[in-house]
Amino acid sequence: MWRRSTRPSDASMGVGMASDTISQYVLKVHSRCDLACDHCYVYENVDQSWRQRPHVMSDDTVRAAAARIAQHAAAHGVGAVRVVLHGGEPLLVGRGRLRSMLETLRATIAPVTGLSLRMQSNGVLLTEPMCELLAEFGVRVGISLDGDRAANDRHRRYANGASSHRAVLRALELLRTPAFRAAYAGILCTVDVRNDPDVVYEALRDQQPPRLDLLLPHATWDDPPLRPEGAPAPYAQWLGRVFERWLADGQRIDIRLFESLISTRAGGPSATESVGLDPADLLVVETDGAWEQADSLKAAFDGAPATGLNVFDHAVDEVVLHPGIADRQRGMEGLCATCRSCPVVRQCGGGLYAHRYRTGTGFDNPSAYCADLKEFIEHMNARLSTQDDARPAPLPEGVLDEISAGYGDEEAIRHLVAAELMFTKSLFPRVYENARRAGVDTSEAWDLLNDVADRDPAAFRAVLAHPYVRAWAAEHVADDASPGGSSYGYLRAIAAAAAIRAGYAATVAVPAWDGRVYLPTLGTLAVSRAAGMVKMSIAEKGFVAYADGGVSAVPAFDTTVPGWRPTRRVETAGLSIVIEDADPYRKHKWPLEPPLDDQTGEAWRDAIIGAWDCIQREAPAYVPGLRLGLRAVVPLRADPAGKLQSSTALHAFGSIAATLAQPRALAVMMVHEFQHNKLNALLDWYRLVDNRYVEPIKVAWRDDPRPVLGVLHGVYAHLAVADVWRLRARRGGPDQAEAHAQFEKYLQDTRVASEKLAASGALTSAGAAVLAQIVKTLDHWRD
């Protein structure tokens, strides 16, 4: 998802500094390929050093490379390393030889540091026995595919011209099976602007990749990229079209380039060397044991990636001192003057280093894709803009109007939910940077969370979508926030919960709050109140916690384990939510209930099921929104005066809080508070109120005048309450008269407040558009 930045603390000011650690290694285990792709940078570019190298990496070379990696990790305390088996085509080494290589790597590196194994393959030799081997060693494989058959066959063919497309689809079908899904890392697609971007996107999306890499074809100023006549920035237009489809699709797959540009836009790190200012953190080992820089440099000139060093005679510490490596560690300082003065430089980062090359000036140039990168980033930023009249990226045309009019249909809510997850993910790089600036080391949790995101995106998303994970992240990026160092420990709990959900083997220390270890979405484990950090060892089917001098094993979340209390879930008729009574960041204005006992928990469960039944019968139009968007109900303490209380936390999208009530009353509170959820979500992407307007407005439902945004919130929430009473009145029954009276009251109060809002002049044009849809609905009811 995101990768840990190695930038120094002054990186935000554009000052670069060489990093003395390496955590990513590419092993070229085979230097030949069974395809003859005409856009391949290894065989088709100016560097032809592959011709003089052995076909296969020897056992001695694998052992030496593994020893160097382990030596460097141990010397520098590197928490985890990633080793990518590459080529040529790595599967050409054969199953037996591949097993030997994997055994050597795991036996040498794993005892010293965390080891993540990857492979990049064209997929044509991927068989079920090969998948079994990859699964056995935890290797995750990325497959190269350029789109549908026409797009793929433009370049990726056998030497005799035959298509490789069907063989690649067979490989991807294998990786999508439950037995091998964990080995599926994603798809790598090289962009060709002659291919239809919509067709390419749909073909790749249909393969359900956990992640998609879109790569610009390697080019330099000496060998510029293909540009159809009359198209000054065709790659910007191509990427822009895919970006629009991705947004309209609800970001169903992770696209690394887009996620990285969104992260760097927010000041976070990049997950790819193609963009951003993060220092290079990668070395290549060729089949003969030569240490090389990133192999993309083969596109620049013959010998460009060479260092003159090898794994037999030179340690990693010596390689990082090579001038070529050091030059790629300097961040902003290493860019040319044109790049340093560019407004999008912190996102673009000058583009891929290899693409800057020009004879005579070397790499001291903008990217050969400079015009494309700038145009695309500016387009993306405009779509992500929160300016008044800008359409926010995740919400296609019409969604704002649909949600503003009342409940919002299923498609609109699905887009809103996807947008909120996207917003939450964008906060985490900033949280990491703030922790680093505060002197808090969160690297262990950060790296674990990234590994889980790679291995099991569904588990990662399930935890990040928890409302109070978002609330915690928002608190730690707020401009006026000053959280203590200990509060960053919640990131450890988030990472542990994601790893447990994914069955990802890891060890992590997690903080305890008031005698409980809390794991978002999963549950709590009781420890002593004196416990600070609790060591957790996570395995495929549960976890073991070491605290208080003892051991608590929780296999497969066994509810009978002493001290373990799983999060209460309510599963009924399409609704799946948790009763959240333990999260330390569930902060609401009204006092919270403490963790519920079994009897009270059952009472809450029965009330929610009853309320949901009421909503389905009496207000079915609100069912899609609540079913898709509601994730948690937080119990509030009963009001001593007997008044029902409910609330919504600003940044806890998907959660409502309420006091225990009869089902019909709770149903109204659920509908009412989820309206506030939806409007808060819209505020993440639209500026609805002119903050210069400070005159409060008197409304019928409060004794004190309310700020403009509060009135807008009240109008939108009361719109739904009026609707519920309207629908109840239409159903008839003994309480029809009361329902009709309540409808008339809420309709009138909402209409008057809407008129005051419209007359205030305090709404932006986007805010006025929201209010116009509300008024349209009110007029429809009155008519």
Side-chain angles (χ1 to χ4, degrees):
M1 181 57 229
W2 325 274
R3 280 291 144 199
R4 177 157 55 96
S5 171
T6 55
R7 286 179 294 173
S9 60
D10 56 356
S12 63
M13 299 182 68
V15 179
M17 184 181 298
S19 170
D20 59 359
T21 60
I22 298 293
S23 65
Q24 300 183 68
Y25 300 86
V26 174
L27 270 56
K28 298 281 189 173
V29 296
H30 203 290
S31 66
R32 302 300 189 269
C33 190
D34 45 356
L35 294 183
C37 307
D38 61 11
H39 61 1
C40 180
Y41 63 91
V42 174
Y43 307 110
E44 301 297 329
N45 280 123
V46 290
D47 185 287
Q48 293 291 298
S49 56
W50 62 273
R51 296 181 182 277
Q52 285 75 47
R53 290 199 161 105
H55 287 208
V56 183
M57 184 176 283
S58 69
D59 292 339
D60 287 344
T61 303
V62 176
R63 282 193 291 270
R68 292 298 189 189
I69 294 169
Q71 176 191 43
H72 181 71
H76 294 275
V78 179
V81 298
R82 173 176 294 189
V83 176
V84 183
L85 306 183
H86 209 279
E89 171 49 50
L91 291 179
L92 284 172
V93 302
R95 193 167 182 269
R97 191 62 181 278
L98 180 58
R99 172 178 289 278
S100 175
M101 290 177 171
L102 293 172
E103 287 174 344
T104 298
L105 292 168
R106 192 159 292 286
T108 308
I109 301 171
V112 174
T113 186
L115 174 61
S116 176
L117 290 167
R118 298 288 193 272
M119 176 184 288
Q120 185 62 41
S121 169
N122 59 38
V124 299
L125 294 178
L126 192 65
T127 61
E128 188 167 338
M130 192 66 82
C131 283
E132 290 171 351
L133 176 63
L134 298 177
E136 178 185 346
F137 283 88
V139 181
R140 305 193 67 236
V141 59
I143 300 296
S144 298
L145 179 71
D146 287 349
D148 63 322
R149 175 164 181 163
N152 201 64
D153 285 356
R154 190 184 290 277
H155 300 289
R156 297 189 187 276
R157 291 178 173 271
Y158 291 96
N160 64 3
S163 169
S164 66
H165 189 251
R166 182 172 296 178
V168 179
L169 294 191
R170 282 198 302 267
L172 291 167
E173 184 177 4
L174 262 177
L175 290 172
R176 290 197 304 274
T177 61
F180 305 126
R181 181 74 190 187
Y184 190 9
I187 290 176
L188 183 153
C189 167
T190 301
V191 173
D192 190 309
V193 293
R194 294 168 293 185
N195 296 328
D196 186 307
D198 292 290
V199 174
V200 168
Y201 171 76
E202 289 168 5
L204 298 175
R205 179 200 60 196
D206 291 349
Q207 298 304 317
Q208 302 169 30
R211 173 165 290 158
L212 173 61
D213 277 300
L214 296 175
L215 302 185
L216 296 173
H218 288 315
T220 66
W221 290 100
D222 292 351
D223 183 18
L226 169 72
R227 296 189 184 280
E229 188 174 351
Y235 297 89
Q237 296 161 16
W238 198 97
L239 291 171
R241 183 58 197 161
V242 175
F243 184 68
E244 295 297 328
R245 289 298 307 274
W246 180 67
L247 297 175
D249 232 5
Q251 305 93 52
R252 284 165 54 184
I253 56 177
D254 284 341
I255 299 183
R256 193 191 309 261
L257 175 62
F258 299 163
E259 297 278 4
S260 293
L261 289 171
I262 291 169
S263 173
T264 52
R265 179 177 182 264
S270 173
T272 171
E273 65 173 342
S274 299
V275 295
L277 292 168
D278 297 346
D281 183 27
L282 179 145
L283 289 178
V284 177
V285 181
E286 286 286 354
T287 53
D288 59 359
W291 285 114
E292 290 205 337
Q293 304 174 64
D295 53 355
S296 57
L297 286 170
K298 293 179 184 294
F301 58 88
D302 192 18
T307 67
L309 310 176
N310 64 78
V311 296
F312 303 104
D313 303 317
H314 305 96
V316 175
D317 285 1
E318 297 176 78
V319 187
V320 296
L321 297 176
H322 184 276
I325 303 289
D327 191 51
R328 301 180 63 214
Q329 306 284 330
R330 296 190 300 140
M332 183 83 79
E333 189 179 279
L335 300 180
C336 70
T338 301
C339 289
R340 290 198 300 271
S341 63
C342 179
V344 300
V345 64
R346 296 188 185 280
Q347 290 174 269
C348 170
L352 190 69
Y353 188 74
H355 295 171
R356 306 173 201 168
Y357 183 75
R358 186 198 299 264
T359 300
T361 53
F363 298 96
D364 190 27
N365 308 288
S367 167
Y369 290 98
C370 178
D372 300 276
L373 288 170
K374 185 176 182 183
E375 181 174 312
F376 172 66
I377 292 171
E378 288 176 341
H379 167 78
M380 186 199 76
N381 289 348
R383 295 286 278 122
L384 290 168
S385 173
T386 55
Q387 292 302 309
D388 182 22
D389 295 315
R391 282 285 179 184
L395 301 179
E397 191 73 28
V399 170
L400 177 65
D401 290 345
E402 175 65 32
I403 292 173
S404 302
Y407 50 84
D409 62 15
E410 183 168 344
E411 181 183 1
I413 299 299
R414 196 179 299 279
H415 281 297
L416 194 66
V417 170
E420 288 304 280
L421 181 59
M422 178 183 181
F423 192 92
T424 300
K425 291 194 306 189
S426 75
L427 297 177
F428 271 70
R430 293 159 60 189
V431 172
Y432 174 79
E433 286 295 304
N434 286 349
R436 184 179 57 76
R437 292 190 181 101
V440 181
D441 183 7
T442 60
S443 58
E444 179 185 40
W446 180 260
D447 290 341
L448 175 58
L449 193 58
N450 274 287
D451 287 342
V452 173
D454 284 345
R455 177 186 177 90
D456 192 335
F460 168 79
R461 287 193 292 266
V463 175
L464 254 67
H466 184 59
Y468 297 98
V469 167
R470 158 69 177 274
W472 168 84
E475 181 177 315
H476 286 67
V477 299
D479 292 337
D480 58 350
S482 55
S486 62
S487 65
Y488 286 103
Y490 190 73
L491 181 62
R492 294 175 173 272
I494 295 169
I500 292 168
R501 279 181 165 274
Y504 183 80
T507 299
V508 63
V510 179
W513 286 273
D514 296 326
R516 295 191 306 271
V517 169
Y518 173 74
L519 299 171
T521 75
L522 298 179
T524 60
L525 181 67
V527 295
S528 76
R529 288 190 173 273
M533 301 297 287
V534 177
K535 179 183 176 184
M536 297 186 66
S537 180
I538 300 165
E540 184 176 353
K541 296 183 178 180
F543 65 88
V544 177
Y546 302 88
D548 308 327
V551 177
S552 296
V554 186
F557 315 117
D558 186 349
T559 58
T560 65
V561 173
W564 170 249
R565 194 180 73 108
T567 299
R568 285 187 176 84
R569 296 204 66 86
V570 178
E571 306 273 355
T572 178
L575 182 70
S576 177
I577 63 171
V578 300
I579 301 174
E580 184 53 84
D581 61 347
D583 194 303
Y585 286 90
R586 69 191 199 287
K587 299 176 180 179
H588 289 264
K589 293 180 179 179
W590 193 259
L592 304 168
E593 282 276 30
L596 306 178
D597 57 35
D598 290 342
Q599 183 178 354
T600 309
E602 281 303 303
W604 266 101
R605 185 175 183 277
D606 291 344
I608 292 170
I609 291 174
W612 184 244
D613 182 59
C614 287
I615 294 169
Q616 288 183 300
R617 285 186 290 105
E618 299 178 344
Y622 294 91
V623 166
L626 289 163
R627 179 174 57 80
L628 291 170
L630 185 62
R631 300 184 184 275
V633 172
V634 172
L636 298 178
R637 286 185 181 175
D639 185 346
K643 184 179 179 182
L644 296 179
Q645 300 289 342
S646 64
S647 72
T648 301
L650 174 61
H651 293 293
F653 176 77
S655 176
I656 65 172
T659 50
L660 188 59
Q662 293 299 314
R664 292 193 85 198
L666 183 58
V668 176
M669 288 193 285
M670 289 171 66
V671 170
H672 171 269
E673 294 300 336
F674 194 66
Q675 291 291 100
H676 288 302
N677 267 248
K678 290 186 288 184
L679 193 64
N680 281 335
L682 292 178
L683 287 165
D684 286 333
W685 305 100
Y686 293 94
R687 188 166 63 90
L688 303 180
V689 172
D690 188 339
N691 293 327
R692 295 172 297 180
Y693 187 92
V694 295
E695 187 70 24
I697 297 174
K698 188 70 175 69
V699 291
W701 55 84
R702 289 289 294 261
D703 294 332
D704 55 324
R706 304 297 296 154
V708 173
L709 184 57
V711 175
L712 183 60
H713 259 288
V715 164
Y716 188 60
H718 284 108
L719 176 76
V721 175
D723 195 17
V724 173
W725 287 114
R726 180 181 71 90
L727 295 168
R728 285 180 176 178
R730 289 179 62 182
R731 284 176 58 86
D735 62 349
Q736 183 179 33
E738 180 192 359
H740 183 75
Q742 290 286 353
F743 166 61
E744 288 291 342
K745 176 183 182 300
Y746 278 99
L747 178 66
Q748 178 64 16
D749 290 350
T750 306
R751 175 180 289 281
V752 171
S754 298
E755 291 170 352
K756 290 180 178 180
L757 270 179
S760 71
L763 298 180
T764 63
S765 59
V770 170
L771 183 62
Q773 291 300 319
I774 293 173
V775 171
K776 184 177 180 181
T777 300
L778 294 171
D779 289 344
H780 174 70
W781 293 344
R782 175 58 68 193
D783 294 341

